[in-house]
Amino acid sequence: MSPQVFVSDRGTVHPDTGSEEHFYSSYEWALNPVLSVRDLFEHLRESLNQLNSLHVPWQIEECKANVYLFASALTCTVDDYLGDTPPSVSKISGRLPGLRIPLLLAQKVVNVIHHLATFPQKMQAARWRRKWTSSVDAICELLARTGKPAPQQLDDLRKSIEICTAIPLPKQLLNRRTQLPSGYRSQDLTHHDAFSLARLFTATQVNRRSPLLIIGPRSMGAYFAPAARAKLLELGWTSVSWCTVRPKKGISPWEESALKALHSPDVQILVIDESPNTGNTFLLMVNLLRKRGVSSNRICLLAAMHPARPDWRLPDGDETRDIKLIRLEANALHKNRLLEPNSAQPLLASYFQDLGWDDVQLVQSSQTSKLNARLEEHFKDGFQCRLKRVFDVRLVKNGAPPVVRRILAKSVGWGWLGYQAFFAGKQLAEFVPALLGLREGIVYTDWLESVEGHSTRPPIEHLAAYVAARAKKLRLSNDPTFAISPGYGWTGWSVLIDSLRRAYGPIVGRLKVSALHENLVQYVSRTPALIDGHMKPGDWFQTPDSFCKVDYEHHNFGRTELYIVDPAYDLASAVFEFYFPANEEQELIAQYVQRSGDSTAAERILLWKVVRGVVEMEVTAAVLDVETRSETRRRLHERFVLARNFLVHQMNRFSASLLPDRPLFQWTQRLIFLDLDGVFDSDVLGFPQATTSSLIALSRLQSHGFSVILNTARSVTDVRQYCEAYGLPGGVAESGCIFVDALAQSEISLVDPEAAEQLSRCKAAIQSLPGVFIDPNYQNAVRAFRYHGNRTQGLLETEVRGVLQREGMDRLTFLPTYADTTILPQNIGKGSGLLWAKKYLRLEGEPVVAIGDNDQDLDMFRAADLAFAPANCSKAVREFAAASKCRLLRQPNQRGLLEAVMQVIHSDGQHCEKCDVQLKQADGCGALFQKLMEVAERPKFRKFSSILNWRSL
């Protein structure tokens, strides 16, 4: 009888991981990996005491690794403290080249003051740091040897550490948070890989008596360098020293003293770091060494390759010609070797024997081979991908027919930096695949496949219950990311502050960071937790009896992951990923609040919606800039567009909530056509959004019985959503190509069949150009662009014209801008759209008003009876206004819109009761957004004068 193959048995009793659970229970604090120096000292002492009492071999090795991780984290954090310098003014001087010399002089003065002010504290820390090196060396020497250290060794090590801890350190340093080593948290590296690099280097050398200096670029180099030294000494090298630097910030006085050995021509320099992506850190180190007179033949780079960039090599050039590169190939990494069947068999056998199975064997199958090949392909997506392997395990019990259990092994971190996977798997057992166990940074769980024919969207109550379970069962004592933002890696708070400060402009905004940080403290979650951070539909699997979440354990800490702990971010992500309308979003939040007790989630969620959208746009644009695979580029492009829509539409819903109550929208005889970008919307936070003036203008128009009709180059998707959010009866979209009648819930194409056929062909033809994408939101026009940096860029006029001519598309023309190129039928534009709308509404004889600001609005101005343009309009509009019926306003942007509206409503300059519009006051974090909507409209002199009160918004 052939074995029965099954993917997962949700009813199976979990294995007896008692020894694991007992060991890991000492590390429950590891849910929060952003530790202070004070925390590191405490946990180092705890682990040393624990090591003395352990007898199980794997636990001893695990504990030794943790001691090493704490010691290296202390090294890295103290060295960063010693290397601290005041913020650079280089970005400001780049924006204000006329002030470059004064700013550089001011920088020098500030540097001197900072050096004098911090000198006593840094001298204190430097004394400690000199003594600390010997303790780290002793720890790494224990790490390089298998087995439990002798009691005398442990006693000596404890005494050495106690001597160091007796030296008082500055309070600021004790409270400083450590930078997580991405190689040990977000990637698949281990200290064994540092050992392997040391072996590979030694194999290339004959003379082991020459002195070596190992330089570790921080952060990861602070962990690899002392480990490599210990192994080199074990391999017979007689003189090996090490130090750490952060080359991107230059070399500090402390680091200069550590680099004195560079001047000796006999010393070989080894630079060891995590897996290179661009290799920029290695290149910075080479430049640093060459500038200090180190010849190329003395330099050797030691690098562990990542499967995402297995082919990285040092670029050719005069500076790098004689430099040696030692590569540890990706398939030779320690964790890769652990996942070889012969290595995995004993551990999996022990897990299943604890469950009562008599015979446990790994079996090969074509299906698992295909699955593993597919998992390997994911490394092409980037460094955020983890090492994974699928095994089929043949199980026999009591002479019964054998069954096969499919198991996923996944890398989740090294030492305590991966323990969050164990706690999450245990605490979320009803939501995630069954957990077998965690060993050597690899978690073993059931493999899941979706059940065909079932929905892939979990019920709202299940999503809410999952987020609530994390908030309750994976709770942190505090939010460790708020106090260190901005300035500490990639945190949700830093992304948010970077977006919010844009309201002040590029210069003043930098000076308002502290004020924004102070204001945001009221929105720090009272229920911080190890959140999911990755609520994508593809990570939810329907099993026969429930929905299961995979990839649940590591998406909120680490260089390639956002540092964030607010469960409201998971709610915002669910709204984004599953396209929840307002009513379903409200149900999701209500269910979550009921289950978690987190009563202020609704007051915070808008913050995290902004972060979710901004992060998605930034990440996808950055990857698109370097990605070459066409299918992946297409998928990323779709995500970018969805994120942009999400941001715009969510902010529309918020902005519309500020409008006073108004009657149901309807068509009237008083028509006013509005452009969106630059007129109704402003780029306040990096994406289109209404401001205070535009909301007041809209409210006054509606209260006076005007039908506000949008007339924009934006897509029909946007116009439809704006009408729904703001209560508008309709609009002209895609530069006159389509009319949206929101009252009738209909959309009418204004493009004739011949032009429509050419547009259909144009979509395919224009996408055949290298790197070109089209906006899927457009139905009757083609908006095309390329990605450049984190922005979009329009096409060259010559290439667009060439496509149209080559394909015989004589009915089409195009509108080029810096950000995009819109292709549409000839003789269609905002003017023709306006005239069509008047005819459709049977108001041909009624006067209409138009408000716009750019060249594409000129046709609309000509078709209108009265036109207005804000003070910041384009040159062509200014020239048109000077010679026609278009009025040029004194105020710019949305203040200009409000000025125009008042002239339309009361041409005599009067004011009536209906003009007394009061916007509603937003609740929760909405109050901050409402404030910034007002800030964005302030004249430049008011924004600059606010610097005098820099602690206030």
Side-chain angles (χ1 to χ4, degrees):
M1 181 181 295
S2 62
Q4 175 189 359
V5 177
F6 64 99
V7 171
S8 174
D9 181 359
R10 298 291 293 168
T12 299
V13 178
H14 287 241
D16 179 11
T17 56
S19 64
E20 288 189 352
E21 195 154 4
H22 177 73
F23 177 79
Y24 295 132
S25 65
S26 303
Y27 295 87
E28 289 183 351
W29 51 264
L31 289 175
N32 172 13
V34 188
L35 303 179
S36 68
V37 168
R38 198 186 306 275
D39 296 331
L40 290 169
F41 276 129
E42 178 184 346
H43 296 315
L44 175 60
R45 294 190 193 97
E46 290 171 353
S47 291
L48 280 171
N49 291 334
Q50 182 189 33
L51 182 57
N52 198 40
S53 62
L54 294 175
H55 302 287
V56 180
W58 75 264
Q59 294 180 0
I60 291 170
E61 297 306 315
E62 196 75 25
C63 191
K64 283 162 58 180
N66 289 332
V67 170
Y68 152 76
L69 290 172
F70 296 134
S72 299
L74 284 164
T75 300
C76 185
T77 310
V78 174
D79 283 358
D80 274 343
Y81 173 80
L82 291 170
D84 270 351
T85 57
S88 172
V89 298
S90 58
K91 289 186 178 180
I92 298 178
S93 62
R95 292 181 178 274
L96 300 172
L99 297 177
R100 182 173 176 274
I101 300 301
L103 286 171
L104 290 177
L105 290 174
Q107 177 84 73
K108 289 185 177 182
V109 172
V110 169
N111 288 348
V112 170
I113 294 172
H114 176 268
H115 177 72
L116 294 174
T118 60
F119 183 76
Q121 294 90 345
K122 288 196 174 182
M123 284 299 295
Q124 194 177 12
R127 282 195 297 272
W128 178 90
R129 178 64 179 83
R130 279 189 284 271
K131 289 183 176 294
W132 180 244
T133 299
S134 60
S135 296
V136 177
D137 289 343
I139 289 169
C140 289
E141 287 169 16
L142 295 182
L143 188 71
R145 304 189 193 109
T146 302
K148 185 174 180 178
Q152 187 61 48
Q153 287 179 297
L154 284 176
D155 286 343
D156 291 344
L157 181 57
R158 269 195 293 269
K159 289 176 183 177
S160 170
I161 290 174
E162 289 303 326
I163 291 172
C164 288
T165 54
I167 300 173
L169 290 174
K171 183 178 180 181
Q172 183 185 19
L173 174 55
L174 289 171
N175 293 331
R176 189 183 181 105
R177 302 276 180 170
T178 186
Q179 294 275 356
L180 296 186
S182 57
Y184 287 163
R185 175 73 180 194
S186 309
Q187 298 171 22
D188 307 316
L189 298 179
T190 73
H191 64 260
H192 296 284
D193 301 316
F195 294 165
S196 294
L197 285 167
R199 291 190 195 97
L200 290 172
F201 168 74
T202 300
T204 67
Q205 305 295 306
V206 177
N207 177 18
R208 301 186 187 184
R209 294 185 177 276
S210 62
L212 303 178
L213 170 62
I214 308 174
I215 303 177
R218 298 192 297 274
S219 298
M220 194 61 206
Y223 294 74
F224 263 14
R229 174 193 178 272
K231 181 54 66 174
L232 287 167
L233 290 175
E234 187 182 83
L235 293 170
W237 292 87
T238 57
S239 175
V240 187
S241 58
W242 62 276
C243 66
T244 79
V245 298
R246 196 172 286 280
K248 294 177 183 178
K249 291 189 175 182
I251 302 302
S252 69
W254 160 256
E255 292 163 345
E256 287 285 6
S257 64
L259 293 173
K260 287 179 180 178
L262 294 178
H263 303 300
S264 173
D266 298 328
V267 176
Q268 286 194 72
I269 311 301
L270 309 186
V271 179
I272 189 169
D273 197 14
E274 64 188 346
S275 308
N277 184 5
T278 63
N280 185 52
T281 300
F282 277 122
L283 294 177
L284 285 173
M285 284 302 309
V286 168
N287 291 335
L288 183 152
L289 294 171
R290 299 291 285 121
K291 286 179 180 178
R292 281 162 173 74
V294 179
S295 60
S296 296
N297 59 6
R298 291 172 53 202
I299 303 173
C300 182
L301 309 182
L302 279 61
M305 295 298 106
H306 193 282
R309 279 297 309 272
D311 56 344
W312 183 83
R313 301 280 178 181
L314 198 62
D316 292 331
D318 292 339
E319 293 294 310
T320 61
R321 182 168 295 125
D322 296 324
I323 293 176
K324 294 182 287 292
L325 173 63
I326 302 295
R327 294 162 47 91
L328 177 64
E329 301 300 337
N331 59 9
L333 295 177
H334 180 69
K335 286 191 178 180
N336 234 321
R337 296 200 302 270
L338 289 177
L339 293 181
E340 292 297 323
N342 290 340
S343 299
Q345 164 78 37
L347 179 60
L348 290 172
S350 70
Y351 282 142
F352 283 105
Q353 285 164 1
D354 284 343
L355 287 170
W357 296 94
D358 302 323
D359 185 61
V360 182
Q361 298 295 327
L362 299 189
V363 293
Q364 299 290 330
S365 73
S366 59
Q367 190 173 3
T368 53
S369 297
K370 290 177 182 177
L371 288 172
N372 285 324
R374 194 177 77 195
L375 293 173
E376 193 74 20
E377 279 289 308
H378 282 305
F379 278 118
K380 293 180 181 178
D381 294 336
F383 275 59
Q384 74 277 10
C385 296
R386 300 296 185 97
L387 181 64
K388 299 171 187 166
R389 198 70 47 83
V390 176
F391 299 101
D392 277 350
V393 187
R394 181 181 181 274
L395 305 171
V396 178
K397 181 193 298 185
N398 299 330
V403 296
V404 175
R405 184 88 166 262
R406 185 158 291 154
I407 298 300
L408 171 68
K410 177 182 178 182
S411 169
V412 292
W414 188 238
W416 69 267
L417 289 167
Y419 293 172
Q420 78 286 346
F422 183 85
F423 299 125
K426 297 291 286 185
Q427 296 297 330
L428 304 174
E430 62 182 300
F431 299 99
V432 302
L435 173 72
L436 279 175
L438 169 71
R439 292 286 177 90
E440 293 198 70
I442 297 173
V443 67
Y444 297 85
T445 67
D446 273 346
W447 171 263
L448 295 183
E449 290 281 7
S450 291
V451 177
E452 292 185 8
H454 289 262
S455 168
T456 56
R457 193 189 99 167
I460 286 177
E461 58 268 22
H462 192 81
L463 287 169
Y466 173 70
V467 178
R470 298 192 76 110
K472 293 179 70 175
K473 297 180 179 181
L474 301 176
R475 182 74 60 87
L476 307 183
S477 60
N478 58 65
D479 182 344
T481 67
F482 183 75
I484 56 179
S485 301
Y488 179 96
W490 191 37
T491 72
W493 292 110
S494 63
V495 171
L496 183 63
I497 290 172
D498 280 346
S499 295
L500 299 182
R501 68 181 175 85
R502 292 175 64 115
Y504 291 91
I507 298 174
V508 178
R510 293 183 181 278
L511 302 175
K512 287 294 182 179
V513 167
S514 294
L516 287 166
H517 192 267
E518 279 190 28
N519 188 277
L520 287 169
V521 70
Q522 60 191 303
Y523 307 118
V524 174
S525 172
R526 293 196 292 268
T527 58
L530 182 79
I531 67 167
D532 184 287
H534 203 254
M535 298 287 285
K536 291 185 177 180
D539 288 343
W540 288 93
F541 288 79
Q542 172 125 39
T543 62
D545 56 351
S546 183
F547 278 88
C548 230
K549 180 68 170 65
V550 300
D551 211 20
Y552 56 86
E553 75 291 323
H554 71 274
H555 284 289
N556 59 350
F557 289 108
R559 194 173 71 182
T560 57
E561 305 293 347
L562 196 65
Y563 288 71
I564 191 165
V565 299
D566 192 337
Y569 182 78
D570 278 346
L571 298 176
S573 294
V575 173
F576 167 66
E577 298 289 355
F578 294 101
Y579 316 112
F580 285 143
N583 62 320
E584 292 187 347
E585 176 187 330
Q586 290 169 3
E587 182 184 352
L588 174 72
I589 295 173
Q591 292 258 7
Y592 164 76
V593 170
Q594 180 183 359
R595 294 168 185 269
S596 68
D598 181 6
S599 59
T600 62
E603 299 174 12
R604 308 189 309 271
I605 193 170
L606 185 59
L607 295 173
W608 302 119
K609 285 180 179 178
V610 170
V611 172
R612 183 68 192 88
V614 168
V615 165
E616 189 68 36
M617 286 184 69
E618 289 180 349
V619 169
T620 52
V623 177
L624 275 163
D625 213 25
V626 297
E627 179 60 61
T628 58
R629 292 169 294 165
S630 58
E631 182 59 27
T632 304
R633 285 174 61 81
R634 182 196 61 77
R635 188 178 72 249
L636 290 168
H637 163 63
E638 290 175 355
R639 297 282 296 179
F640 181 92
V641 173
L642 286 172
R644 181 261 177 206
N645 289 351
F646 178 72
L647 287 169
V648 174
H649 298 173
Q650 291 295 327
M651 291 309 297
N652 280 347
R653 279 171 48 185
F654 164 71
S655 299
S657 72
L658 304 178
L659 293 171
D661 296 332
R662 53 201 186 279
L664 293 175
F665 57 96
Q666 58 185 344
W667 291 113
T668 69
Q669 293 183 332
R670 309 178 76 182
L671 304 182
I672 184 165
F673 290 79
L674 295 186
D675 185 21
L676 277 177
D677 295 300
V679 176
F680 184 79
D681 277 350
S682 176
D683 194 23
V684 177
L685 305 178
F687 50 87
Q689 180 196 343
T691 67
T692 303
S693 292
S694 57
L695 293 179
I696 293 173
L698 174 61
S699 184
R700 286 178 178 173
L701 286 171
Q702 291 176 328
S703 67
H704 284 82
F706 281 85
S707 288
V708 178
I709 304 177
L710 301 178
N711 200 355
T712 176
R714 295 259 205 102
S715 71
V716 64
T717 302
D718 271 358
V719 170
R720 186 191 308 127
Q721 198 275 336
Y722 273 72
C723 290
E724 178 185 349
Y726 292 108
L728 307 180
V732 180
E734 300 178 15
S735 298
C737 290
I738 187 168
F739 181 78
V740 176
D741 186 341
L743 278 175
Q745 296 186 341
S746 65
E747 294 161 8
I748 305 164
S749 172
L750 309 185
V751 177
D752 65 67
E754 184 179 354
E757 185 275 332
Q758 291 191 8
L759 280 167
S760 179
R761 287 193 290 119
C762 180
K763 288 183 179 180
I766 207 74
Q767 288 183 93
S768 68
L769 296 174
V772 172
F773 294 92
I774 63 171
D775 191 329
N777 294 314
Y778 282 67
Q779 292 182 10
N780 288 55
V782 178
R783 176 177 175 255
F785 51 84
R786 290 185 174 92
Y787 288 96
H788 182 70
N790 61 351
R791 297 179 179 274
T792 61
Q793 190 175 66
L795 280 56
L796 297 175
E797 293 187 28
T798 53
E799 59 182 345
V800 179
R801 192 174 291 111
V803 169
L804 299 183
Q805 291 174 352
R806 184 170 58 253
E807 301 294 331
M809 299 174 186
D810 56 345
R811 296 292 308 280
L812 306 184
T813 186
F814 61 95
L815 303 173
T817 69
Y818 177 80
D820 55 34
T821 300
T822 302
I823 303 168
L824 68 168
Q826 296 176 7
N827 303 319
I828 279 187
K830 292 185 177 182
S832 63
L834 182 151
L835 294 173
W836 190 95
K838 286 181 66 176
K839 184 177 181 180
Y840 171 79
L841 297 170
R842 300 178 182 177
L843 297 173
E844 293 100 323
E846 298 295 330
V848 299
V849 179
I851 306 176
D853 69 336
N854 62 49
D855 296 10
Q856 295 183 29
D857 295 319
L858 293 175
D859 282 345
M860 178 174 67
F861 291 163
R862 295 186 185 99
D865 298 280
L866 181 61
F868 295 89
N872 63 306
C873 62
S874 69
K875 181 181 178 182
V877 172
R878 285 180 174 276
E879 293 172 352
F880 179 82
S884 68
K885 57 192 174 184
C886 178
R887 297 183 187 178
L888 196 62
L889 301 162
R890 291 175 297 174
Q891 298 293 332
N893 299 313
Q894 291 70 49
R895 285 185 286 130
L897 169 63
L898 182 56
E899 181 186 349
V901 165
M902 291 309 298
Q903 290 187 31
V904 170
I905 294 173
H906 297 294
S907 57
D908 57 0
Q910 297 299 309
H911 200 84
C912 69
E913 287 185 3
K914 294 180 181 178
C915 296
D916 293 329
V917 172
Q918 296 293 323
L919 298 181
K920 296 177 182 177
Q921 294 301 306
D923 297 324
C925 67
L928 174 59
F929 285 102
Q930 190 170 12
K931 175 69 175 178
L932 294 177
M933 290 166 64
E934 178 271 320
V935 165
E937 296 192 285
R938 290 176 185 172
K940 285 186 177 180
F941 78 90
R942 276 197 64 196
K943 289 183 180 178
F944 274 96
S945 64
S946 70
I947 296 174
L948 299 175
N949 189 12
W950 60 276
R951 297 293 294 273
S952 170
L953 296 179

